[in-house]
Amino acid sequence: MDRTTQLTARPAARRAPHHEHGRAGTAVYDPVDPVDSFEPVDPLESVRPAESLQARAARVLNGNWRGTSTVPSRSLYPHQWSWDSAFIAIGLRHLSPLRAQTELETLLGAQWGDGRIPHIVFNPSVPLDAYFPSPDFWRSSTAGRTAGAPGTVQTSGIVQPPVHALAVWLVHAADPGLSRSRSFLPRMYPRLAAWHRYLLHRRDLGGGGLASVVHPWEQGMDNAPSWDAPLSRVTPAPARSFRRADLDHGAAEDRPTDLDYGRYVRLAADYRDGGYADGGHADGGRPGGRAGGFAVEDPAFNALLIASEHALARIARELGATGTARHARAERLTAALVDRLWDPAAGMFLCRDVRTGEPIPERGVSGLVPLILPTLPRETAATLVRTLRGPHFGLGDTTRLVPSYDLTGHAFDPHRYWRGPAWFNTNWLVERGLRLHGETARAAELRGALLETADTSGFAEYVDPYSGEACGALGFSWTAALTLDLLHGTAPETAHERAGTTLGTAGEFGVPGKFGEGALGGDLR
């Protein structure tokens, strides 16, 4: 038995009926390879060598569960993070569809009145000094009052990549009966639609139809070299004005520099002090209309928005509408993405600085993520695959996992956060994109490398792209969750076989015509 077969082998499914509620606020696992306890446990110390990879991944998620949501890491990230929870729910659907639904419901329950989904939902039981910036920095309930920040929970004021509609659809598809009995989609759809409206209207800072991020943390790849030029315009906050709690749990040489962090703090404070208002393209894309603002159109952020538009179309069809307007919007956004961010000379998508109107000449994994789009032009997808395999990313030649930044780039560092290490969520996205566009052998190779690296690294937050050496936090939730999803993966429908616009597997996303037009009519915009 080869290594991939060993890692993916699992016992036959043993499912329990849908009585997953236990005590109030808790849910009970019904995994294929069951975990024997739902009590919080240390995700690493509790691992028994004889356990399968699936059981160990489930045990990590068990240890990081907090009753209604999952923390990314028990030490470094003690609250709920937005795109983390979306990826976590995608994995949790294979263990407990109810808990996966709860994860997303908790996150979307903290949505602001203007539609934004905040990047952090704070746990009030966590001490303020456990993480910075803490709730008293963001002051969401006061500074965000005009934007409709909730008064019952403290959040940050910025956002993260919009993976949520995709996650909601996949979670629904894992157990449609449970989803329908709980009215999961009817409750989630209006929130997701408002979230997309916010991004497509309030965040079209460049006027070209794409959403902009106003802080590097919003894009999720915090200290990527793509941010260096636009960040250079930002005057950093004084080092004495904040304390970096992240350095209590990670090596300084693996984390963003103090200079970068000072700029992050300044940007966030300026955005907060402007009432979390978003400027439009008429004022040069300055958030809050403030001079020195940061505004960037990012390919991965927009690709995930497009993928989620396709997912919203599927949700609309399930609810009885046509979904055609959302599919059409997704195709228009794909065309805008190619028009504004595709660089033929680089062989990939690049970020665009909204303030200068110029592309940012740094090759990052963000520029490969659009492979997940089903209507990407055939030659564009083929070029992305060549770039992925070439000297800048070296997949299958010099690296086993896709690095976060150009191997030949001036800022490459195999251990420093998003300046070179490989991350599981971006590799999961690339693996799906390869399968979608018919690159099944290369997808299988990447899938095997991801499973083996998750296994040997202790479900690390990120890894050295050459050696797979663990970096950052261990027992990291999205690593464990996406490992589960890879273990449960099914054969995809390729971009060339589809009859309409889908993403991922045919079983997960359905095929055109699966759901009737229904009585609602329209497109649930």
Side-chain angles (χ1 to χ4, degrees), residues 16 19 30 54-55 80 196 201 287 316 340 406 416 467 473:
H19 49 274
D30 60 346
Q54 175 169 296
Q80 182 179 27
H196 285 210
H201 297 287
R340 292 177 71 81
D406 184 356
R416 191 180 286 279
S467 67

Side-chain angles (χ1 to χ4, degrees), residues 61 70 81-94 100 103-104 107 160-164 166-168 170-171 219-221 300 304 369 372 418 424-430 432 476-485:
L61 294 176
T70 308
W81 261 258
S82 173
W83 75 327
D84 289 73
S85 277
F87 288 120
I88 289 164
I90 288 170
L92 278 176
R93 68 191 169 118
H94 302 295
E103 183 82 37
L104 295 166
L107 177 67
Q160 276 193 320
V163 199
H164 310 91
L166 175 58
V168 165
L170 292 177
V171 167
Q219 195 271 351
M221 304 177 193
L304 290 168
V369 169
I372 65 173
W418 287 96
F424 285 82
N425 65 329
T426 53
N427 274 266
W428 179 85
L429 289 166
V430 169
R432 291 179 75 87
F476 199 71
S477 289
W478 79 25
T479 303
L482 297 177
T483 295
L484 289 170
D485 193 65

Side-chain angles (χ1 to χ4, degrees), residues 388-417 419-424 427 445-446 449-450 452-453 456-457 462-471:
L388 181 65
R389 304 282 293 183
H392 298 290
F393 295 92
L395 185 65
D397 182 13
T398 56
T399 62
R400 295 202 68 208
L401 299 182
V402 185
S404 52
Y405 177 63
D406 184 356
L407 299 173
T408 70
H410 67 97
F412 176 77
D413 183 330
H415 287 176
R416 191 180 286 279
Y417 219 45
R419 301 177 85 86
W423 291 72
F424 285 82
N427 274 266
E445 182 180 9
L446 179 54
L450 278 164
E452 183 167 8
T453 304
T456 58
S457 71
Y462 52 100
V463 299
D464 183 304
Y466 296 116
S467 67
E469 175 189 349
C471 302

Side-chain angles (χ1 to χ4, degrees), residues 237-252:
R240 65 181 180 277
S241 66
F242 59 91
R243 175 185 173 274
R244 293 188 58 180
D246 63 317
L247 298 182
D248 293 342
H249 306 284

Side-chain angles (χ1 to χ4, degrees), residues 19-253:
H19 49 274
E20 298 180 73
H21 276 305
R23 298 182 301 276
T26 65
V28 180
Y29 274 133
D30 60 346
V32 172
D33 191 359
V35 174
D36 56 9
S37 171
F38 197 68
E39 296 304 314
V41 292
D42 188 292
L44 296 180
E45 291 180 359
S46 64
V47 168
R48 295 188 290 269
E51 286 182 311
S52 69
L53 181 60
Q54 175 169 296
R56 283 181 281 135
R59 191 168 289 276
V60 168
L61 294 176
N62 188 1
N64 291 346
W65 175 247
R66 292 295 175 268
T68 58
S69 65
T70 308
V71 297
S73 157
R74 296 182 71 187
S75 55
L76 184 54
Y77 305 105
H79 302 285
Q80 182 179 27
W81 261 258
S82 173
W83 75 327
D84 289 73
S85 277
F87 288 120
I88 289 164
I90 288 170
L92 278 176
R93 68 191 169 118
H94 302 295
L95 301 178
S96 170
L98 176 59
R99 187 169 139 191
Q101 291 179 29
T102 302
E103 183 82 37
L104 295 166
E105 290 163 353
T106 301
L107 177 67
L108 269 65
Q111 186 173 27
W112 289 29
D114 64 4
R116 82 183 74 192
I117 297 174
H119 99 293
I120 302 174
V121 180
F122 289 105
N123 181 343
S125 69
V126 173
L128 289 178
D129 62 359
Y131 183 82
F132 179 86
S134 50
D136 57 343
F137 173 88
W138 295 104
R139 306 171 201 161
S140 61
S141 60
T142 54
R145 184 180 295 116
T146 301
T152 56
V153 63
Q154 294 295 309
T155 76
S156 64
I158 60 175
V159 302
Q160 276 193 320
V163 199
H164 310 91
L166 175 58
V168 165
W169 176 249
L170 292 177
V171 167
H172 162 79
D175 193 334
L178 176 67
S179 174
R180 291 169 186 143
S181 73
R182 301 184 69 248
S183 299
F184 179 59
L185 293 186
R187 288 185 292 109
M188 293 296 100
Y189 187 92
R191 293 182 177 274
L192 294 169
W195 169 221
H196 285 210
R197 280 195 300 272
Y198 168 78
L199 293 174
L200 291 169
H201 297 287
R202 301 289 295 278
R203 287 300 189 88
D204 181 12
L205 304 182
L210 299 181
S212 295
V213 296
V214 300
H215 195 291
W217 290 341
E218 292 199 312
Q219 195 271 351
M221 304 177 193
D222 299 14
N223 67 326
S226 297
W227 317 137
D228 291 353
L231 273 178
S232 68
R233 299 190 293 264
V234 178
T235 301
R240 65 181 180 277
S241 66
F242 59 91
R243 175 185 173 274
R244 293 188 58 180
D246 63 317
L247 298 182
D248 293 342
H249 306 284
E253 60 269 21

Side-chain angles (χ1 to χ4, degrees), residues 289-500:
R290 289 172 168 264
F294 174 103
V296 174
E297 292 173 350
D298 173 77
F301 191 98
N302 281 281
L304 290 168
L305 175 58
I306 295 165
S308 281
E309 272 292 307
H310 283 304
L312 268 184
R314 294 294 176 193
I315 295 171
R317 291 175 68 87
E318 167 70 7
L319 295 177
T322 65
T324 53
R326 290 208 173 272
H327 276 317
R329 183 178 296 119
E331 294 197 28
R332 289 196 301 271
L333 287 168
T334 300
L337 182 71
V338 173
D339 179 61
R340 292 177 71 81
L341 304 186
W342 176 250
D343 189 307
M348 63 187 302
F349 292 89
L350 299 179
C351 295
R352 180 177 178 272
D353 187 337
V354 173
R355 292 294 308 283
T356 66
E358 297 297 322
I360 299 172
E362 300 285 1
R363 292 179 174 92
V365 69
S366 172
L368 301 172
V369 169
L371 267 176
I372 65 173
L373 299 179
T375 61
L376 200 65
R378 186 187 298 261
E379 183 52 38
T380 301
T383 301
L384 285 176
V385 174
R386 288 194 293 271
T387 300
L388 181 65
R389 304 282 293 183
H392 298 290
F393 295 92
L395 185 65
D397 182 13
T398 56
T399 62
R400 295 202 68 208
L401 299 182
V402 185
S404 52
Y405 177 63
D406 184 356
L407 299 173
T408 70
H410 67 97
F412 176 77
D413 183 330
H415 287 176
R416 191 180 286 279
Y417 219 45
W418 287 96
R419 301 177 85 86
W423 291 72
F424 285 82
N425 65 329
T426 53
N427 274 266
W428 179 85
L429 289 166
V430 169
E431 189 270 347
R432 291 179 75 87
L434 287 170
R435 285 192 289 141
L436 179 66
H437 290 281
E439 297 285 345
T440 53
R442 287 169 178 162
E445 182 180 9
L446 179 54
R447 177 173 177 265
L450 278 164
L451 291 171
E452 183 167 8
T453 304
D455 188 26
T456 58
S457 71
F459 303 101
E461 182 180 3
Y462 52 100
V463 299
D464 183 304
Y466 296 116
S467 67
E469 175 189 349
C471 302
L474 301 183
F476 199 71
S477 289
W478 79 25
T479 303
L482 297 177
T483 295
L484 289 170
D485 193 65
L486 290 168
L487 288 170
H488 286 259
T490 54
E493 173 188 61
T494 70
H496 310 308
E497 292 170 342
R498 69 185 183 277

